[in-house]
Amino acid sequence: MHKIFALVRASWLVGASYRMAIITSFGSLIVTVVPVFYIARALQPMMGKVVQGQGGDFFGFVLVGMVAFMFIGIAVGTLPGIISGSVSSGTLEAYLTTPSSLPTVLAGLMSYDFLWSFARAVVLVITGAILGAHIAWGKSLLAIGILALIVLSYLPFGILGASLMLWFRTTGPLPKAVIGLSGFLGGVYYPTHVIPSWLHSVSSAIPLTYGLRALRRVMLEGKPLSAVAPDLGILMLFIVGLCALSVLAFSRALHDAKRTGSLAQY
Amino acid sequence: MTVTLTRPGAPAQITRVNDSATMVRVDGLTKRFPVRRGWMETIRHPVARQHATALAGVTFTVERSEFFGLLGENGAGKTTLFKILASLIVPDAGTVTVNGLDVVKDSARVRGLLAPVIADERSLNWRLSARENLRLFAALHNLHGAAGEQRVNELMEITGIADTGSKMVGQFSSGMKQRLLIARALLSRPSVLLLDEPTRSLDPLGARRFREFLRDEIVARQRCTVLIATHRAEEALELCDRIAILDRGVVRAVGTPTELASRIVGERYYLWTLAPSHPALACLAAQGTVTNVVTGERDEDGWTRVQLEIPGGPRTASDVIAALAAEHMPIASFERVRLPLAELIERIVANRGTVMADA
């Protein structure tokens, strides 16, 4: 934990040295959420019934979708970005010459992005609540737990992307495909039951579908853990399967990178 | 006319490393890298693979607290060798041990013993101060709390960057960044330090100061074993106890600069004479007792400087003087000069057919 904390601290100090970026990072949230509020309010008469099973408030529905979507973007995109940047700069090589394990180093480097996103998510939710979204604050811990499971179910895509980065120096279309499909078919801006039936099978193969449904029911309706257990069970299956696959791929990619000497080829 | 030497020259003896004092042992190290092929070549022969050999059976040893130089041209394999030592690259064949630990099988323990300075200054965090850079790596080296802080302070003092305050590393000069890289490498009190062309971005004065720092602090006080890869011959000559000449992935020679000079080209001398074309000298040259005779400048009093090399060491040299004196060759001075290391390397590399490693 000391090492992860040190890496988070260093990332924070670097992040804090870009003051304008910090201001715009939070400022952009406000700029985004206010128009969403007005659009959602305008659509409420039509969408209220559609989202009845997930809170009934369309603004709250979209707000929670935005929070989850922000996290899956981090889960999928951060690790390949870290690998790409640190290989190019030579910092990965420097980290690997210390007695710290690669998983520890990567966890430390990623943690900052997740903590930063968490801070942004809190601001987003509070702003949403101020604008009128009904949030079940009493279920915050359970909601954070579900959010963590959503992240864990998408982290394997990030690990796969990092493996591709080690092998080919590019992730190809993987992150965009995963994020795009999840955005359109995972129920971020509308519930999955309104999408055409022939796309339902694709939607049911997306972890976000289950995670987001559970998250909304907890955050917006205040449902207990037992009510969302089936969705979380499916999410867990995704996590186990995808984690095994991605860890295998990454181990192989790292071994190949050490064999071909590409860990520090700028 | 025949000139006879009183004693035949004996080949120079090379000191062998005592096994019990060995810190780094490289044995038969081989590494090949796949070569990127063009599109057409890949389409024509999709399965075929091409490889470039970076290291071919490299073997040598380094003693504890020794300053060991790896010299060679760009692409000779120095950086690959260092990266294998630092367990960043897996070798194809051969073994490397550091203090008896295999760098592949015991990589985690080796990383605790050995600190490479092979990444360039970009591997520093440019948006952090020197202190914050060191704090981060202290934590990664399991140095926490007061112990870590004390080590950071100590190293900032030693490397002369204590007064940099909160200045970001991006605003440092190259010399300061180099010092910070060294400080970072020394955090874990390594037994072995790997330096890959450490003075490449320094001006001559900065490079000289840096070499003084390495000699006085790292070796004399910290008692580190240092392996330095460089293509600056004067740097190796000033710092290294022994050097290895690496050429196209093969160690061509290992030894002290003096040993290598005497083994490979013999000793070089300047002879001041009134008769540079004296038959005795010509005869010795014809016999091969003296080689590479070059007649140089002639001063206003008529003395000419003749440069010559005498394979076989100082005894042969004294026999040559005696033989020339016996033939009444007028000699004012006979002095031994050090062969420039760069010239030595050039000769070794030119003589690729003969491998002269002693390890």
Side-chain angles (χ1 to χ4, degrees):
Chain A
M1 279 310 283
H2 277 293
K3 293 176 181 180
I4 291 175
F5 176 74
L7 285 160
V8 170
R9 184 173 178 278
S11 298
W12 159 248
L13 290 172
V14 171
S17 71
Y18 296 100
R19 289 175 191 171
M20 185 53 79
I22 289 185
I23 293 165
T24 54
S25 177
F26 283 102
S28 64
L29 285 179
I30 311 295
V31 171
T32 307
V33 78
V34 172
V36 167
F37 166 70
Y38 285 110
I39 293 168
R41 204 169 66 169
L43 293 174
Q44 178 64 28
M46 185 177 69
M47 295 300 289
K49 287 179 185 171
V50 176
V51 298
Q52 199 58 52
Q54 295 178 61
D57 170 30
F58 188 55
F59 175 57
F61 178 93
V62 175
L63 186 72
V64 174
M66 285 169 67
V67 168
F69 197 54
M70 186 164 71
F71 275 96
I72 69 161
I74 297 293
V76 175
T78 298
L79 197 51
I82 285 171
I83 295 282
S84 171
S86 59
V87 167
S88 301
S89 67
T91 49
L92 184 65
E93 194 181 58
Y95 292 138
L96 290 178
T97 58
T98 69
S100 306
S101 68
L102 183 61
T104 305
V105 169
L106 294 179
L109 292 172
M110 279 194 306
S111 294
Y112 172 74
D113 281 345
F114 282 114
L115 290 172
W116 184 248
S117 295
F118 184 75
R120 294 185 77 220
V122 169
V123 171
L124 191 63
V125 172
I126 289 173
T127 309
I130 291 168
L131 289 172
H134 173 72
I135 305 293
W137 295 107
K139 297 290 180 185
S140 295
L141 278 180
L142 181 55
I144 290 169
I146 294 169
L147 205 51
L149 288 180
I150 293 173
V151 166
L152 282 176
S153 68
Y154 276 87
L155 200 54
F157 294 110
I159 298 173
L160 284 172
S163 311
L164 292 173
M165 190 59 82
L166 283 177
W167 272 317
F168 308 114
R169 287 287 176 272
T170 175
T171 57
L174 179 79
K176 280 184 182 169
V178 170
I179 293 170
L181 271 179
S182 298
F184 285 116
L185 302 174
V188 175
Y189 303 108
Y190 39 82
T192 53
H193 65 259
V194 302
I195 60 178
S197 56
W198 59 275
L199 277 173
H200 272 168
S201 55
V202 181
S203 174
S204 58
I206 293 174
L208 190 63
T209 303
Y210 307 94
L212 205 42
R213 190 160 59 206
L215 186 63
R216 285 189 179 119
R217 295 186 73 192
V218 168
M219 273 186 83
L220 302 176
E221 293 184 339
K223 297 281 187 190
L225 176 63
S226 56
V228 294
D231 279 337
L232 297 187
I234 297 170
L235 204 54
M236 291 296 286
L237 287 177
F238 273 114
I239 292 170
V240 172
L242 290 170
C243 276
L245 179 72
S246 62
V247 168
L248 271 175
F250 190 73
S251 305
R252 184 71 208 174
L254 188 62
H255 177 267
D256 288 350
K258 281 196 169 189
R259 193 174 50 79
T260 57
S262 61
L263 268 185
Q265 279 176 356
Y266 311 133
Chain B
M1 181 182 179
T2 306
V3 177
T4 310
L5 300 181
T6 51
R7 281 185 300 273
Q13 294 297 307
I14 304 300
T15 311
R16 294 197 71 84
V17 171
N18 180 355
D19 277 359
S20 62
T22 300
M23 180 53 108
V24 177
R25 179 180 292 281
V26 179
D27 191 8
L29 193 65
T30 299
K31 183 67 199 175
R32 297 186 316 154
F33 290 115
V35 175
R36 185 175 289 272
R37 298 182 302 151
W39 279 101
M40 287 309 292
E41 177 67 16
T42 309
I43 291 165
R44 275 197 213 121
H45 307 286
V47 188
R49 293 280 180 274
Q50 288 177 352
H51 290 89
T53 301
L55 297 170
V58 169
T59 299
F60 64 87
T61 54
V62 182
E63 289 182 75
R64 280 173 209 281
S65 301
E66 185 178 12
F67 213 121
F68 188 86
L70 272 170
L71 276 88
E73 297 167 328
N74 290 332
K78 303 185 295 284
T79 303
T80 301
L81 177 58
F82 273 14
K83 288 191 174 179
I84 291 174
L85 273 164
S87 70
L88 291 168
I89 295 179
V90 180
D92 294 337
T95 56
V96 183
T97 58
V98 177
N99 205 23
L101 298 169
D102 189 291
V103 297
V104 177
K105 292 172 190 161
D106 292 308
S107 58
R109 288 170 72 192
V110 168
R111 287 201 295 269
L113 285 174
L114 177 145
V117 187
I118 51 182
D120 67 14
E121 18 184 88
R122 289 186 307 155
S123 74
L124 294 165
N125 216 322
W126 285 33
R127 301 287 296 187
L128 295 181
S129 66
R131 180 174 296 281
E132 289 301 341
N133 266 281
L134 291 177
R135 275 180 180 155
L136 170 61
F137 275 81
L140 294 175
H141 278 287
N142 300 312
L143 288 165
H144 309 296
E149 201 58 29
Q150 190 187 339
R151 185 68 181 146
V152 167
N153 287 334
E154 200 177 296
L155 285 170
M156 288 185 75
E157 280 294 330
I158 288 171
T159 51
I161 51 175
D163 57 352
T164 52
S166 59
K167 190 175 173 183
M168 284 196 286
V169 169
Q171 297 167 322
F172 280 21
S173 66
S174 289
M176 299 291 271
K177 286 176 190 150
Q178 202 64 43
R179 282 167 179 266
L180 179 55
L181 282 170
I182 294 280
R184 190 176 78 178
L186 291 176
L187 275 166
S188 61
R189 299 179 200 276
S191 303
V192 181
L193 191 63
L194 305 179
L195 299 166
D196 191 2
E197 294 175 16
T199 57
R200 64 171 175 256
S201 54
L202 303 183
D203 58 61
L205 191 62
R208 200 180 71 188
R209 283 185 187 146
F210 186 72
R211 286 197 288 271
E212 283 170 6
F213 164 74
L214 286 178
R215 197 178 46 229
D216 301 342
E217 184 58 41
I218 307 298
V219 177
R221 284 194 59 209
Q222 311 266 340
R223 307 296 301 157
C224 263
T225 303
V226 180
L227 276 80
I228 183 170
T230 180
H231 48 237
R232 290 190 181 185
E234 77 281 6
E235 190 164 86
L237 200 62
E238 187 181 333
L239 293 170
C240 298
D241 300 315
R242 288 190 308 144
I243 56 170
I245 313 288
L246 198 60
D247 171 49
R248 296 186 183 177
V250 175
V251 173
R252 303 286 175 193
V254 181
T256 66
T258 313
E259 281 171 352
L260 292 182
S262 88
R263 277 163 63 203
I264 292 152
V265 290
E267 305 280 347
R268 176 174 286 180
Y269 297 88
Y270 286 154
L271 171 74
W272 285 90
T273 178
L274 289 170
S277 307
H278 195 280
L281 185 60
C283 186
L284 287 172
Q287 288 174 341
T289 308
V290 299
T291 57
N292 294 320
V293 180
V294 179
T295 303
E297 60 192 276
R298 185 167 186 268
D299 73 9
E300 56 202 22
D301 297 327
W303 293 93
T304 302
R305 195 185 76 178
V306 179
Q307 177 188 294
L308 51 92
E309 286 162 16
I310 305 177
R315 285 190 172 185
T316 312
S318 72
D319 293 342
V320 166
I321 300 170
L324 294 175
E327 295 298 327
H328 307 293
M329 183 174 175
I331 298 171
S333 155
F334 191 90
E335 61 174 315
R336 180 169 165 265
V337 289
R338 177 173 262 180
L339 187 71
L341 198 55
E343 194 181 324
L344 178 65
I345 295 165
E346 212 172 272
R347 297 243 192 133
I348 291 169
V349 169
N351 191 18
R352 283 193 178 111
T354 315
V355 176
M356 289 166 275
D358 72 338

